[in-house]
Amino acid sequence: MAGCGSWLFSLTVFAVSLLGAKAEIKLTIPVGRLFTYELLRETFQNDFEPLSKLYAGRLYDDPMIFKCNQQNFPDLPEWLRFTQRHPYDNGFLYGTPMSQGKSIIEVYAVNKRSYETTRQIFVIKVVAEKMLPFQAEFFIKLREIEKVLPSAVQGEIKQDLQKLWDTEALEMINITNALDRGGRVPLPLAGHFEGVYVKVGSEQYFSDCLMKTLAAEHGKQCTAGAKVKVPGGCNFCSIPSNCISWCKIELFDLSKQEPAPPAPTMGSGIMDIGVDFDPPESPPSRDYFPDYMVTVIVPLILAIVLCLLLAYIMFGRREGVAKRDARTNHIQLYHHHTIHGNTDELRNMAGNRGASLPLSTLPMFNSRTGESAPPLQSDSPSIPLIMAQHDPYSDTLPRK
Ligand SMILES: *[C@@H]1O[C@H](CO)[C@@H](O)[C@H](O)[C@H]1NC(C)=O
């Protein structure tokens, strides 16, 4: 029974994983508009859980992380970014495609409890769309990217900006984490946020409120760092955390065509059509013999001369072999002579042994008084070999 159950179990896992691999989500999005897709942990959780467990009424809420890449590539396409704050949060794919085309995105979900993985494939087709000529970028200080990407929050932000722009026709173009634009990681304290840049675009020209940010006075106030007051009637922020920084508004007017770069000016070396190319005369041949002389022959001669000179010093000017032998003989003779002398000296010294020994070598010599004891039979057992020299009154010493 158990074997059968596990077989059934593996079959269902196989089927689920087969289904998971087959699941392909097709998306069609326009060029130049913000794309966001929330990777819901719930849907991936279903892939992890065998159906049998689901029927048993057990539901898990596993921590999960996602790995995203373009199929057959190590990373996502340049325009697409992924973010997930925490394994217990949903992940987001977002970005703004700038050219048409098709991207196949693989998303692997890793269950951090069981370390199972599952895969989902997204086929994102980017289609042409008219570019919005008027664009503006706002900075929202009290937000983090994951909190802004859910469509509900995007809607709230858009509503405020629609009022500010005084038009309904507003499109989200880009949402960027301030950290990706040189922002600093905030302190891990309440009230400190990374900040988010939101770019929107419209067919309609900027409103008066937006134009006020272009005034010279506005720029001066902002660079002075003073707390800049939002001009009256322009504060449309309904939710405090969605309020934009009035000093960080940037307007882009793409309707003004940039002057086309001037056509390249033709240089002088361009041939007329139908004329054959006449190559220039080859340069006159050059005589390399003097160069050869200077670079090869002269150093060679110098080297040979030096060689000969060295050979002469080494062999010609050296003392001859016979001379050298004579010299060694001489040294040997000298050695012989000194050995003789030394032996004679030693013999003489040995001959003088009969003479009286120096006083200090006598056993009974008193170094202080200079007295000397009569010669003693040193091998007599009655006399100690060492006398108490520090005692001048000792009986053993004879007195005069
Ligand atoms: C969106 O923001 C990112 C990050 O700052 C940038 O690399 C990208 O070019 C932007 N895209 C558009 C269409 O502005």
Side-chain angles (χ1 to χ4, degrees), residues 32-33 78 81 95-98 135 137 173-177 180-181 199:
R33 306 284 192 274
E78 197 193 355
R81 281 159 281 160
T96 312
M98 290 312 284
Q135 302 184 356
E137 193 170 60
I173 290 182
N174 211 353
I175 293 185
T176 320
N177 189 341
D180 293 344
R181 305 254 304 241
K199 197 178 194 179

Side-chain angles (χ1 to χ4, degrees), residues 338-386:
T338 47
I339 289 163
H340 259 286
N342 291 343
T343 28
D344 285 348
E345 218 176 316
L346 286 169
R347 287 226 176 87
N348 283 341
M349 284 165 79
N352 290 345
R353 256 185 223 153
S356 60
L357 290 162
L359 288 178
S360 60
T361 61
L362 292 175
M364 287 307 155
F365 178 73
N366 189 316
S367 61
R368 233 171 306 162
T369 57
E371 284 172 324
S372 131
L376 294 164
Q377 298 301 113
S378 62
D379 48 0
S380 163
S382 60
I383 294 172
L385 282 173
I386 298 165

Side-chain angles (χ1 to χ4, degrees), residues 165-186:
W165 203 303
D166 199 14
T167 177
E168 288 284 305
L170 209 62
E171 300 277 356
M172 279 283 178
I173 290 182
N174 211 353
I175 293 185
T176 320
N177 189 341
L179 297 186
D180 293 344
R181 305 254 304 241
R184 293 228 216 145
V185 176

Side-chain angles (χ1 to χ4, degrees), residues 85-159:
R85 178 78 27 159
H86 192 270
Y88 282 103
D89 291 334
N90 288 332
F92 287 94
L93 281 168
Y94 68 104
T96 312
M98 290 312 284
S99 57
Q100 286 168 254
K102 197 167 94 172
S103 315
I104 299 174
I105 309 297
E106 289 176 321
V107 175
Y108 290 90
V110 181
N111 186 327
K112 295 292 269 181
R113 181 181 58 84
S114 62
Y115 285 92
E116 281 179 279
T117 58
T118 177
R119 185 178 74 153
Q120 206 159 54
I121 289 193
F122 295 85
V123 180
I124 302 175
K125 201 172 156 206
V126 183
V127 295
E129 181 69 58
K130 203 167 161 282
M131 194 189 62
L132 296 168
F134 305 107
Q135 302 184 356
E137 193 170 60
F138 305 94
F139 180 64
I140 302 176
K141 204 178 152 199
L142 304 178
R143 280 292 196 185
E144 274 156 7
I145 186 92
E146 294 87 355
K147 305 282 159 54
V148 167
L149 288 173
S151 52
V153 181
Q154 277 189 45
E156 289 167 10
I157 291 168
K158 201 164 143 186
Q159 267 179 19

Side-chain angles (χ1 to χ4, degrees), residues 167-366:
T167 177
E168 288 284 305
L170 209 62
E171 300 277 356
M172 279 283 178
I173 290 182
N174 211 353
I175 293 185
T176 320
N177 189 341
L179 297 186
D180 293 344
R181 305 254 304 241
R184 293 228 216 145
V185 176
L187 292 171
L189 297 175
H192 288 78
F193 301 91
E194 288 166 4
V196 171
Y197 287 93
V198 175
K199 197 178 194 179
V200 292
S202 176
E203 295 277 358
Q204 190 171 318
Y205 193 66
F206 306 116
S207 67
D208 292 343
C209 276
L210 285 173
M211 291 309 283
K212 279 178 189 163
T213 64
L214 293 179
E217 199 194 331
H218 170 82
K220 236 185 274 169
Q221 279 180 337
C222 284
T223 46
K227 203 162 185 330
V228 179
K229 259 194 85 187
V230 181
C234 288
N235 194 355
F236 295 105
C237 148
S238 49
I239 300 165
S241 54
N242 286 351
C243 291
I244 57 169
S245 297
W246 196 247
C247 272
K248 277 199 174 177
I249 296 176
E250 221 181 319
L251 306 182
F252 305 88
D253 187 349
L254 307 180
S255 61
K256 288 182 208 138
Q257 284 298 313
E258 285 188 15
T265 46
M266 297 293 186
S268 57
I270 292 171
M271 275 173 34
D272 294 325
I273 294 162
V275 180
D276 285 339
F277 176 63
D278 182 20
E281 298 285 315
S282 55
S285 62
R286 205 179 138 189
D287 184 12
Y288 286 102
F289 187 69
D291 292 331
Y292 176 71
M293 287 294 283
V294 170
T295 55
V296 177
I297 299 295
V298 171
L300 199 67
I301 289 169
L302 261 175
I304 289 167
V305 168
L306 284 174
C307 239
L308 290 176
L309 198 68
L310 200 64
Y312 171 68
I313 290 167
M314 288 294 289
F315 299 106
R317 280 185 58 85
R318 239 170 136 189
E319 291 176 3
V321 174
K323 229 174 175 177
R324 196 179 60 208
D325 281 358
R327 199 170 176 179
T328 44
N329 283 346
H330 177 78
I331 289 167
Q332 278 172 1
L333 277 176
Y334 178 74
H335 268 250
H336 196 71
H337 175 77
T338 47
I339 289 163
H340 259 286
N342 291 343
T343 28
D344 285 348
E345 218 176 316
L346 286 169
R347 287 226 176 87
N348 283 341
M349 284 165 79
N352 290 345
R353 256 185 223 153
S356 60
L357 290 162
L359 288 178
S360 60
T361 61
L362 292 175
M364 287 307 155
F365 178 73
N366 189 316

